[in-house]
Amino acid sequence: MIKVLVPVDFSETSEKALAYACQMFNSSPLEVTVLHIFGAHSTALMMKSIDGLLIKDAKEKLKTLLEKIKKTSPHVEFKTQLVKSYAVQAIVSYGNSDAFDLIVMGTNGASGLKEVFLGSIAGGVISKTKAPVIVVPSDYNINPPLDIIFALNNTKLLEKTKLSALSLISKSNNSTTTALHVAMTTKDEFHLDEIQHGDLNLRVKNIQGSGNINNDINAYLTEHNADLLCLIRSKKDLLTRIFDDSVTLKQTFSSSIPILVLHEEEA
């Protein structure tokens, strides 16, 4: 059974992430743990009364949320968790427990990576967890991930990265997965037509870089109506190239589709 963790704060953004998680594995046995974290800021004198109110309110909202989502996702087995903690700390703790195949979180608007890596809760989780994370823009119209683009600048990273989440998604949706490489010269291209990694088959597509990798990826995603963008988080990977080079890049990159972030495993 596939096990997914979905943190919720009862906003439309987190509800969208929950709906996406349920529909992404529509044809597979699925267990979704809905996690709500409430504040760790109350003082000792206020703690008991405030915590009681927060827990009562959260339980009522969780009940309403699950009643709503079960109508469209009868195939899903749901579990709930209420935790008093700081959001990033709690989500990372659950993610690093090895109890989940994937974390699915929402982001506000079609901001994608721009928001995720500029200090949001999702960004904090991605930087600290070893679990794969999908971030879902709040205004994304949910579609099954039939066309997955795996942006990759180094095939050696595949040997250091756990790809099971990508494989699960691809299998469950019979997806076409393309390894997209932005090459500045023909010498930089991947000189092969496909990459076989375990049970994951990646078609290889080289595109000529313009010097702005953000625009190159976005243009390809738009042209090919991609449903999911996959990236690897590593010190020397595409994420670093996008977000560490300059403030301008951080401010201009956006994605209107969900993004799956995988992590290079430590040596």
Side-chain angles (χ1 to χ4, degrees):
M1 177 177 283
I2 299 170
K3 296 185 177 183
V4 177
L5 177 69
V6 183
V8 300
D9 59 5
F10 307 117
S11 64
E12 291 185 6
T13 299
S14 64
E15 285 193 32
K16 176 65 68 73
L18 178 58
Y20 182 82
C22 293
Q23 294 188 33
M24 180 171 49
F25 297 109
N26 201 31
S27 61
S28 303
L30 176 64
E31 177 185 283
V32 172
T33 296
V34 182
L35 171 66
H36 177 67
I37 303 111
F38 61 95
H41 302 286
S42 53
T43 65
L45 292 174
M46 300 171 62
M47 194 173 295
K48 287 186 178 179
S49 59
I50 290 180
D51 285 358
L53 291 173
L54 291 174
I55 291 171
K56 181 181 179 181
D57 180 61
K59 284 183 175 178
E60 291 175 352
K61 288 181 177 177
L62 278 172
K63 181 181 178 183
T64 300
L65 177 60
L66 291 185
E67 287 175 349
K68 178 181 178 181
I69 195 68
K70 284 179 179 178
K71 292 178 182 178
T72 55
S73 304
H75 67 292
V76 179
E77 179 180 330
F78 290 98
K79 292 186 176 181
T80 60
Q81 291 288 338
L82 281 174
V83 178
K84 180 180 179 181
S85 182
Y86 295 98
V88 171
Q89 178 181 324
I91 299 167
V92 168
S93 178
Y94 273 81
N96 288 348
S97 69
D98 293 324
F100 302 97
D101 297 296
L102 186 67
I103 300 172
V104 178
M105 303 181 67
T107 63
N108 289 315
S111 51
L113 292 174
K114 174 184 172 183
E115 175 189 325
V116 166
F117 294 93
L118 288 178
S120 69
I121 290 175
V125 171
I126 287 170
S127 68
K128 293 178 173 63
T129 189
K130 62 181 181 180
V133 180
I134 287 184
V135 288
V136 184
S138 60
D139 55 357
Y140 176 66
N141 292 321
I142 296 177
N143 291 304
L146 301 179
D147 190 355
I148 302 173
I149 303 301
F150 190 177
L152 192 66
N153 72 319
N154 184 350
T155 57
K156 292 181 180 179
L157 275 175
L158 294 175
E159 303 300 326
K160 305 175 183 179
T161 304
K162 190 175 181 180
L163 301 178
S164 55
L166 178 59
S167 181
L168 283 174
I169 295 168
S170 182
K171 276 186 177 180
S172 296
N173 295 277
N174 196 24
S175 309
T176 298
T177 305
T178 301
L180 177 67
H181 178 55
V182 181
M184 297 308 299
T185 66
T186 54
K187 183 180 179 180
D188 297 328
E189 292 181 355
F190 292 164
H191 297 288
L192 63 173
D193 296 322
E194 64 179 22
I195 300 171
Q196 187 72 40
H197 191 277
D199 56 1
L200 189 64
N201 185 57
L202 306 171
R203 298 189 313 178
V204 174
K205 176 65 177 179
N206 292 290
I207 61 172
Q208 185 67 42
S210 66
N212 187 323
I213 195 170
N214 304 332
N215 288 345
D216 297 336
I217 294 175
N218 267 327
Y220 189 88
L221 294 176
T222 301
E223 180 182 352
H224 294 271
N225 296 313
D227 302 305
L228 179 67
L229 171 64
C230 179
L231 298 167
I232 297 175
R233 180 177 178 270
S234 162
K235 291 182 179 179
K236 298 179 181 180
D237 69 355
L238 195 59
L239 277 180
T240 305
R241 288 173 60 191
I242 292 173
F243 293 102
D244 287 351
D245 288 348
S246 73
V247 173
T248 302
L249 291 182
K250 293 180 182 179
Q251 292 176 340
T252 58
F253 194 96
S254 64
S255 173
S256 59
I257 64 173
I259 302 162
L260 168 62
V261 181
L262 305 176
H263 304 274
E264 180 185 12
E265 295 182 322
E266 296 181 4

